[in-house]
Amino acid sequence: MNNWDRRLTNTFKVMDTCERCFCSIYDMDKDAFRKQMEDFFDIRPCQGL
């Protein structure tokens, strides 16, 4: 897990869930999921991801 995955895990109060899993759970592509995270939680991954 990378830092972005850890931030998501802490935000959603779950254990060891990666971005791909969240996208699958919420039936969203990566870009749409990241947009939602930015809009609702004001978090975004670093530029390297």
Side-chain angles (χ1 to χ4, degrees):
M1 288 187 44
N2 59 35
N3 287 339
W4 175 237
D5 293 332
R6 283 188 207 97
R7 288 173 66 197
L8 292 172
T9 296
N10 289 335
T11 299
F12 284 94
K13 310 274 190 278
V14 296
M15 295 191 62
D16 299 332
T17 305
C18 66
E19 180 181 36
R20 187 176 7 173
C21 294
F22 281 115
C23 289
S24 178
I25 291 167
Y26 294 108
D27 194 27
M28 301 173 88
D29 67 8
K30 181 173 68 172
D31 293 328
F33 179 75
R34 288 180 177 189
K35 177 80 171 121
Q36 287 291 101
M37 293 300 96
E38 186 171 351
D39 290 347
F40 289 101
F41 295 107
D42 198 30
I43 62 171
R44 57 194 140 291
C46 69
Q47 295 293 356
L49 293 175

